[in-house]
C-alpha cells in the first residue's frame, strides 16, 4: 500500500486529504496548524477531519525540527503532500519520501507563486485562475508541474466564491494525478518562472481603498478582500466605512480630479476618477451595517470627496 504523510490546512487540505483516503493511500500522520485566535475561521478543519478518520495529527509551531523530521522518517513514507499548509518545508523534510514531495497551489503556476494566490489574482483583474499540483523544491512553488486545472473568475465573484472553485479543481487534479504518481508514470513539466511572479502575504491594512485608482481596480480590491476576509475600507467623515460588495456600472463620464460618494435614486454610488461609477451594495460604518437609505439620509444631496 502507498503511504503518505500529509501537511494540510483549510478547505483544500480537507478536500485533498479525502481524495488520498478515497484512493486507498495510507496516511499514518497529518501535520496541520492550530487555529489562530485572531483569525476568522470560516473554513473546514483538517484536524477535526483527521481525528474523525482516526489519523494521528500534530500541529507543531515549526515542522522543520529534528523531532518532527525523525518522526516522519520512522514512518518511511512514499510521498509527502502539502495541501494549503502555511509553512515552508525544508530540504531535510523534502528528502525523506522515497517517491517525492508534492504541493497543491491555488493558481495556474507559474503565475501567482507565493501567498494568498486567489486574492492576488482577483486584485489584478484576472478572469481565470486554478489549482496546480507540483513537485516541492527548496524554492517556493518552483518545482515541476504534475497537472493543473483552470477555473473562471466572474466579474462579480468574491474571493470566497473563487476559492470554492479552486478547492474543487484541487480535488480533481489530485484525483486524476494520483494513479500516475503511484505507478511512476506521471510526466512532470518544468516551470518557466520568467512567465510568472511571486507575491507575499496580505495584511488587513492592505485593504485601504486608494480613490485615485479607476473604478474597476477598486471593485477588484473589494471583491478580493470581501468577508470572510477583512474587507476593503476607507475613511468617511471621521468614521471608518467598510465597503463589502460593489457593482461596476456601465457607461463612463468625463474623468474627474477626485472620487466622490453620493446618493441617487435610493442607491449608494461612488463616482471614480476615471469617470466610471461603482454602486456600493453592502457596507458598514464603524462596525454597523449601513443601508443605501441610511447612507442617503446621512449625506443628503451632498457629494463627498474621497482621497
Amino acid at each position: 500500500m502507498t503511504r503518505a504523510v500529509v501537511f494540510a490546512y483549510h478547505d483544500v487540505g480537507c478536500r485533498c486529504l479525502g481524495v488520498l483516503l478515497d484512493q486507498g493511500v495510507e496516511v499514518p500522520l497529518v501535520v496541520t496548524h492550530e487555529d489562530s485566535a485572531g483569525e476568522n475561521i470560516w473554513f473546514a478543519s483538517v484536524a477535526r477531519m483527521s481525528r474523525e478518520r482516526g489519523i494521528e495529527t500534530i500541529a507543531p509551531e515549526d515542522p522543520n525540527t529534528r523531532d518532527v523530521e525523525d518522526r516522519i522518517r520512522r514512518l518511511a513514507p512514499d510521498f509527502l503532500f502539502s495541501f494549503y499548509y502555511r509553512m515552508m518545508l525544508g530540504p531535510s523534510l523534502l528528502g525523506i519520501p522515497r517517491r517525492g514531495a508534492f504541493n497543491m497551489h491555488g493558481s495556474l503556476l507559474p503565475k501567482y507563486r507565493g501567498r494568498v494566490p486567489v486574492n492576488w489574482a482577483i486584485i489584478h483583474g484576472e478572469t481565470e485562475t486554478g489549482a496546480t499540483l507540483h513537485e516541492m523544491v527548496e524554492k517556493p512553488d518552483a518545482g515541476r508541474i504534475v497537472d493543473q486545472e483552470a477555473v473562471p473568475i466572474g466579474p462579480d465573484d468574491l474571493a470566497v466564491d473563487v476559492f470554492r472553485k479552486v478547492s474543487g479543481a484541487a480535488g480533481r487534479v489530485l484525483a486524476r494525478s494520483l494513479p500516475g504518481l503511484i505507478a511512476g508514470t506521471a510526466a512532470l513539466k518544468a516551470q518557466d518562472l520568467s512567465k510568472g511572479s511571486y507575491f507575499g502575504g496580505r495584511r488587513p491594512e492592505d485593504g485601504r481603498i486608494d480613490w485615485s485608482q479607476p473604478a474597476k481596480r477598486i471593485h477588484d480590491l473589494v471583491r478580493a478582500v470581501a468577508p470572510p476576509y477583512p474587507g476593503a475600507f476607507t475613511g468617511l467623515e471621521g468614521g471608518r466605512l467598510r465597503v463589502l460588495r460593489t457593482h461596476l456600472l456601465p457607461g463612463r463620464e468625463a474623468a474627474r480630479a477626485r472620487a466622490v460618494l453620493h446618493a441617487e435614486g435610493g442607491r449608494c454610488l461612488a463616482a471614480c476618477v476615471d469617470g466610471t461609477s461603482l454602486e456600493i451594495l453592502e457596507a458598514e460604518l464603524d462596525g454597523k451595517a449601513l443601508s443605501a437609505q441610511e447612507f442617503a439620509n446621512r449625506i443628503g444631496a451632498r457629494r463627498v470627496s474621497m482621497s
Side-chain angles (χ1 to χ4, degrees):
M1 178 180 288
T2 301
R3 171 178 286 198
V5 169
V6 175
F7 293 74
Y9 195 61
H10 219 291
D11 288 349
V12 170
C14 287
R15 180 70 64 96
C16 291
L17 175 60
V19 170
L20 292 180
L21 297 174
D22 289 347
Q23 293 206 17
V25 175
E26 179 190 2
V27 180
L29 179 69
V30 166
V31 185
T32 188
H33 302 289
E34 296 285 357
D35 292 335
S36 171
E39 184 174 357
N40 178 18
I41 306 299
W42 54 271
F43 41 83
S45 170
V46 167
R48 183 181 302 114
M49 178 180 177
S50 299
R51 288 194 299 268
E52 290 172 352
R53 297 291 191 103
I55 303 171
E56 185 177 2
T57 306
I58 60 174
E61 290 187 7
D62 180 2
N64 298 293
T65 63
R66 178 61 63 85
D67 286 347
V68 174
E69 180 184 333
D70 288 347
R71 186 171 192 166
I72 294 174
R73 196 177 299 278
R74 286 193 296 270
L75 293 171
D78 297 293
F79 296 98
L80 291 188
F81 287 104
S82 177
F83 305 131
Y84 264 68
Y85 188 73
R86 291 177 170 178
M87 295 181 185
M88 291 291 296
L89 305 185
S92 293
L93 279 175
L94 298 181
I96 292 174
R98 296 188 307 108
R99 307 290 298 280
F102 297 88
N103 176 61
M104 185 67 71
H105 186 72
S107 78
L108 295 175
L109 291 176
K111 288 187 173 182
Y112 298 101
R113 296 170 49 238
R115 304 291 185 181
V116 294
V118 167
N119 309 78
W120 279 117
I122 297 170
I123 285 171
H124 287 100
E126 301 284 359
T127 57
E128 71 171 11
T129 188
T132 301
L133 182 65
H134 68 95
E135 186 179 40
M136 278 193 282
V137 295
E138 190 170 357
K139 189 171 185 176
D141 305 323
R144 294 178 297 166
I145 292 172
V146 181
D147 191 13
Q148 59 187 182
E149 180 175 312
V151 299
I153 301 176
D156 291 314
D157 277 353
L158 305 182
V160 67
D161 303 321
V162 179
F163 193 86
R164 290 186 180 120
K165 296 178 189 180
V166 168
S167 296
R172 292 188 294 273
V173 166
L174 181 62
R176 65 175 177 253
S177 298
L178 264 178
L181 288 175
I182 292 170
T185 59
L188 278 59
K189 180 181 178 181
Q191 294 190 55
D192 181 352
L193 299 185
S194 69
K195 294 182 177 179
S197 50
Y198 185 90
F199 291 87
R202 292 185 60 82
R203 303 164 299 172
E205 53 264 39
D206 295 329
R208 180 179 295 276
I209 296 170
D210 178 358
W211 290 105
S212 69
Q213 296 290 316
K216 186 179 183 305
R217 184 77 173 176
I218 294 170
H219 176 59
D220 291 339
L221 173 66
V222 170
R223 297 190 299 129
V225 299
Y229 298 99
F233 67 93
T234 188
L236 179 63
E237 299 183 326
R240 184 183 177 97
L241 180 71
R242 289 180 76 217
V243 180
L244 306 181
R245 187 185 290 264
T246 55
H247 177 64
L248 190 64
L249 297 178
R252 178 173 293 186
E253 300 174 353
R256 62 185 72 246
R258 282 192 171 190
V260 295
L261 296 185
H262 63 106
E264 182 181 301
R267 298 189 297 173
C268 176
L269 303 178
C272 298
V273 294
D274 65 338
T276 306
S277 291
L278 291 171
E279 181 177 0
I280 299 176
L281 302 175
E282 293 182 30
E284 291 177 356
L285 183 60
D286 295 331
K288 296 182 179 179
L290 181 71
S291 70
Q293 187 58 57
E294 289 168 334
F295 175 80
N297 292 342
R298 179 185 178 93
I299 69 169
R302 292 181 298 129
R303 297 173 72 85
V304 181
S305 293
M306 307 302 293
S307 59

